[in-house]
């Protein structure tokens, strides 16, 4: 019977690779990535808007990546935490919620420099408010006189969440 040292080396390397992979899969996620590699909570630093020929645009500027978000029609706008109504005129409202996100740094200092409550007179968009920076959620409310038809997109360098609200051509 002949021994094959080359075959033994391959089996040993394959066994080592499988054991290493098994250990990496068994480790908790926090142990698998060093602290320097883990991403920090995205920071919401501004919100702005603009009118265009066929749409009004809301832009949320971020430091870090754009986190998961939802844009939801709601019957009224309320401030997170208190539940108090947001004093923006309108009949239709969108809630824009980012999570995980913050408008403040780890020391509690505000990094959000945009408007807190702003009446706007664009074709569709009539108001925008920061309605929450609470427990890892940053929420905005947008107000409209007519039901908004909207789409969302993410732009990079710098990172931005965009909500476009369609309207008839005004140009």
């Amino acid at each position: 019977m002949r021994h094959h040292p080359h075959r033994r080396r391959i089996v040993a390397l394959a066994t080592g690779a499988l054991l290493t992979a098994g250990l990496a899969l068994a480790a908790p996620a926090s142990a698998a990535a060093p602290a320097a590699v883990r991403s920090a909570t995205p920071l919401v630093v501004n919100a702005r808007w603009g009118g265009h020929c066929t749409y009004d645009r809301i832009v949320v500027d971020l430091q870090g990546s754009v986190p998961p978000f939802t844009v939801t029609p709601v019957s009224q706008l309320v401030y997170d935490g208190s539940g108090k109504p947001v004093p923006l005129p309108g009949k239709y409202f969108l809630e824009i919620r980012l999570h995980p996100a913050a408008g403040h740094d780890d020391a509690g200092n505000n990094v959000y420099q945009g408007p807190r409550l702003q009446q706007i007179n664009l074709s569709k968009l009539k108001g925008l408010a920061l309605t929450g920076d609470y427990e890892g959620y940053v929420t905005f409310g947008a107000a409209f006189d007519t039901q908004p038809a909207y789409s969302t997109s993410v732009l990079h360098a710098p990172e931005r969440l965009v909500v476009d609200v369609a309207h008839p051509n005004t140009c």
Side-chain angles (χ1 to χ4, degrees):
M1 179 172 186
R2 286 182 51 194
H3 289 73
H4 296 284
H6 183 64
R7 186 176 295 162
R8 283 188 188 164
R9 185 177 302 148
I10 291 173
V11 170
L13 288 172
T15 303
L18 288 172
L19 286 172
T20 302
L23 291 173
L25 291 173
S30 59
V37 174
R38 284 186 224 132
S39 61
T41 300
L43 297 177
V44 176
V45 296
N46 193 21
R48 52 200 169 90
W49 56 92
H52 301 274
C53 290
T54 59
Y55 61 94
D56 293 343
R57 175 169 280 184
I58 300 167
V59 178
V60 178
D61 295 313
L62 292 114
Q63 284 181 2
S65 62
V66 175
F69 61 89
T70 58
V71 179
T72 309
V74 294
S75 59
Q76 70 172 8
L77 297 175
V78 295
Y79 287 106
D80 293 354
S82 73
K84 292 181 179 177
V86 176
L88 280 179
K91 296 177 186 165
Y92 299 90
F93 306 97
L94 291 178
E95 178 185 81
I96 303 163
R97 180 167 287 190
L98 300 96
H99 173 73
H104 59 278
D105 62 20
D106 290 340
N109 302 309
N110 284 335
V111 296
Y112 176 75
Q113 300 298 316
R116 302 272 173 187
L117 180 68
Q118 181 71 49
Q119 289 192 14
I120 301 166
N121 193 24
L122 294 177
S123 293
K124 283 285 188 180
L125 183 62
K126 301 304 176 188
L128 185 68
L130 175 68
T131 59
D133 176 11
Y134 187 72
E135 296 185 352
Y137 291 86
V138 174
T139 311
F140 292 92
F144 307 89
D145 287 339
T146 59
Q147 189 161 352
Y150 62 92
S151 63
T152 62
S153 57
V154 172
L155 301 176
H156 304 287
E159 299 299 299
R160 304 170 308 272
L161 166 62
V162 175
V163 180
D164 287 333
V165 180
H167 60 70
N169 194 332
T170 57
C171 294

